[in-house]
Structures are given as C-alpha cells and as structure tokens.
Amino acid sequence: MSRSQGIAVAMVHLNLRRLKVGTEGAAALASVLGECKALVHLDAAYTGIGAVGVTCLVRAVRSCEGLSQLNLAGNALGPEGARQLALLLRECSSLQMLDVSFNSIGPEGATAVAAVLCGSSTLTHLTIHHNFIADQGTTSVAEVLGSCPGIELLDLRYNDIGPDGACAVGRTLVDSPRLTHLNLSRNSIQDAGLRGICAGLQAGKVPLTFLSVSKNGISPEGITTLSAALPSCTHLSYLDLSENDVGTEGATALSAVLARCTALKDLNLNHSRLTSEGAKSVVFVLSQCTQLRSVDLRTNALGGACKALVLEWAAEIPSLNLLVSDCAQSPYVRIL
C-alpha cells in the first residue's frame, strides 16, 4: 500500500465545502472515498456535484460504515438527486447529522429521503431548508421525526409548508423526547398550522430550547394560541415571532405568560405589528424577566410613551441587547 493510499484509508474528516468539484470531480472523489473506511464526516456542500455526482458517491460511501455526518447542501440535487441520496442513506447505519438544504428536492425528493431515514436509532440532526417540499414532503419528514426518538434538531425553513404540513409535524411532537430545535420560519403555516404545533407541544414533553415561526401569516389569534402553550415549554430560551401579525391582542396574550417563561433569553418581535398599547404590555412584563439576553422590537409603532418605557428598562439592564427603531439615543439601546 502506498503512503497516499494509507492516508486515504485512515481519513476521518473530509471537508470539500465550496470547492469546485463538479460531476467529473465527484467521480474521481468516489474512487478515493471507496478506500476511506474510517470516514466519519464528509462535507461536500456547495461543490456542484449535482445528481450525477451523488450517484458516484452512493457507490463509494457504502464502505464507510462509520459515516455519521453528511453535508450535501447547495448542490442542486433536485428530486432525482434526492432519490440517489436515498440509496446512499440505506448504507449509512451510523448517520447522525444530515444536511440537504438548498437543493430543491421538492415533495418527491423529501419523501424518498424520509422513507429511508424512518426508524433510525442514530439520527439527531436533520437540516432540509430551502427545498420547496410543501405539505406532502413535510408530512413524510414528520414521520421521520415521529419514528426517530433521538432527533434533536429539525430545520424546515423556506419550504412552502402550509397548515397541513405543520399539523403533521405537530402530531409527531409527542414522540419527540429529545427535540430541542424546531425552525419553521418563512413558510405559510398560518393559525391552523400553529394550532397543530401547539397541540403537540402541550401533549408531549418536548424539551424545545429554540422555536422559530417567523413570517408564517400568523394572526393575533394564532399568537394567543401559542401563548397558551408556552408555559409547557419549560426549556424554551429562543422564540422568534417576527414578521407575523402579533398586534394588540397577541401582545396582551404574550404578556400574560412571558413572566412564567423563566428559561427565555432571546425574543424576536421584529416587524410584528405591535401597537403602542400592545408593546407597553409586553415591555412591562419583560422588564421583570432579568434572565433576558436580547429582545428585538424593531419596525413596530411603539409610540412615545412606550419608547420612554423601553429606555427606562434598558437603563436598568445594561447587559441586555435591545434592538429598537426610531428611538432616542441611549448607551443601552442599539439603534438600527
């Protein structure tokens, strides 16, 4: 065995991120990977390998029995590439982390990938954002969440998910004892989808620390529903409700429960149509939450009285990263 072959066999981590590998390079890479039996982490994100390149990797990675982290983000895999990836995943019995974001795999691709991930006893992180998987694909991914008790992170941003897809995720939350990070931002789950998520949060003991539902067409009614579920999320430290219609009604509902969210450290209410009245009720309660680390209130009509309350609050907690707009300068307030 030559020295170079020996190095390949012993290789544990391979980082090719953003290198111009392409389909031809993927074929050459596959010939090397076939000898990398000790490979644990392969990062081939944004390498331009495409569906053809994934087909090459399928044949090579079969010998990498210990592969636990695979990143194929940004490779324009499409549905066909996702189907080829599914063949590869059947051989990855030790896989813990999978990232296939920015690949436009669509509902069919998501279904193909999800079918082979279901029941995995090792999977902990599934990153699948920017793939246009819609409700059909999300329902398939939800089955993975419900059948893989070890999943800790599920990232579904920018996927054209509607209420039905969100409800499918919600139904599986009761079977997600280790899920800490759920990102559904930039979809269209609306109030009905959020109700499904909240039902799951209240029915199960989900240890969520991170929840983002930003820009999902949620109304004050939906925020009120979420507020009722928040006391069940005893570990929640990050909550993003930005670019929804929180309004006065939603702000009032939030203010009634935020003091009980003792783990909360970061709250994003940017561009959430807060009125002066609603903002004052929220800020009054937040002023009692000394554990807070950052609060984003930008792009809201706070009004003069509320701005004064914000400044007073900020002066009392110098360590707080408070983001506001159109507010008088203060050494404790970051103006954006």
Side-chain angles (χ1 to χ4, degrees):
M1 179 185 296
S2 68
R3 183 172 182 274
S4 60
Q5 287 176 319
I7 292 174
V9 169
M11 188 181 299
V12 176
H13 302 281
L14 180 57
N15 187 355
L16 304 172
R17 175 180 284 261
R18 298 192 183 279
L19 296 180
K20 296 180 180 179
V21 176
T23 55
E24 293 183 4
L29 174 63
S31 64
V32 176
L33 288 179
E35 302 296 327
C36 298
K37 301 183 185 301
L39 190 65
V40 173
H41 178 198
L42 173 59
D43 187 345
Y46 306 99
T47 53
I49 62 175
V52 175
V54 169
T55 303
C56 296
L57 292 182
V58 169
R59 294 192 293 268
V61 177
R62 285 174 177 168
S63 62
C64 305
E65 298 178 356
L67 187 67
S68 63
Q69 298 179 44
L70 178 61
N71 190 341
L72 294 173
N75 277 301
L77 300 184
E80 178 56 31
R83 283 189 283 269
Q84 293 300 318
L85 173 61
L87 296 177
L88 183 155
L89 295 176
R90 285 197 180 98
E91 310 295 331
C92 298
S93 59
S94 301
L95 191 67
Q96 297 176 11
M97 300 181 182
L98 175 64
D99 188 341
V100 290
S101 53
F102 289 102
N103 271 301
S104 300
I105 66 175
E108 297 83 2
T111 299
V113 170
V116 296
L117 291 178
C118 279
S120 170
S121 60
T122 59
L123 190 66
T124 61
H125 291 63
L126 181 55
T127 304
I128 197 168
H129 59 79
H130 287 82
N131 273 297
F132 312 107
I133 67 175
D135 285 343
Q136 177 188 336
T138 304
T139 300
S140 297
V141 171
E143 293 176 4
V144 177
L145 179 62
S147 66
C148 301
I151 289 187
E152 300 171 9
L153 178 148
L154 180 60
D155 192 340
L156 293 168
R157 289 172 286 164
Y158 290 91
N159 269 313
D160 294 336
I161 302 171
D164 289 345
C167 287
V169 173
R171 286 191 294 271
T172 60
L173 289 178
V174 68
D175 299 314
S176 306
R178 296 185 62 183
L179 186 68
T180 59
H181 186 118
L182 178 60
N183 196 333
L184 288 163
S185 62
R186 305 281 171 162
N187 286 295
S188 187
I189 70 172
Q190 303 176 34
D191 291 351
L194 186 59
R195 279 197 298 272
I197 296 296
C198 291
L201 291 175
Q202 290 174 299
K205 296 181 179 180
V206 189
L208 271 190
T209 60
F210 179 106
L211 175 62
S212 178
V213 290
S214 68
K215 201 168 186 178
N216 263 292
I218 299 168
S219 77
E221 180 181 349
I223 300 299
T224 300
T225 300
L226 175 62
S227 297
L230 286 179
S232 302
C233 304
T234 55
H235 301 282
L236 192 67
S237 62
Y238 181 97
L239 178 61
D240 187 353
L241 302 176
S242 61
E243 297 186 69
N244 288 300
D245 184 7
V246 175
T248 301
E249 178 187 342
T252 301
L254 279 174
S255 63
V257 299
L258 284 175
R260 294 157 61 188
C261 301
T262 54
L264 189 65
K265 293 184 178 180
D266 303 286
L267 176 63
N268 191 345
L269 291 171
N270 177 29
H271 210 297
S272 58
R273 298 187 181 180
L274 284 178
T275 62
S276 178
E277 178 185 353
K280 279 195 291 185
S281 66
V282 170
V283 170
F284 178 76
V285 175
L286 291 179
S287 65
Q288 304 169 45
C289 302
T290 56
Q291 81 281 1
L292 284 170
R293 180 171 51 198
S294 69
V295 177
D296 192 340
L297 297 173
R298 290 174 296 170
T299 326
N300 287 296
L302 300 184
C306 185
K307 290 175 184 176
L309 181 61
V310 167
L311 289 172
E312 181 181 348
W313 170 35
E316 294 175 357
I317 312 176
S319 61
L320 179 68
N321 184 23
L322 180 61
L323 308 181
V324 293
S325 301
D326 301 323
C327 188
Q329 292 289 338
S330 164
Y332 305 109
V333 183
R334 182 180 174 191
I335 309 299
L336 296 179

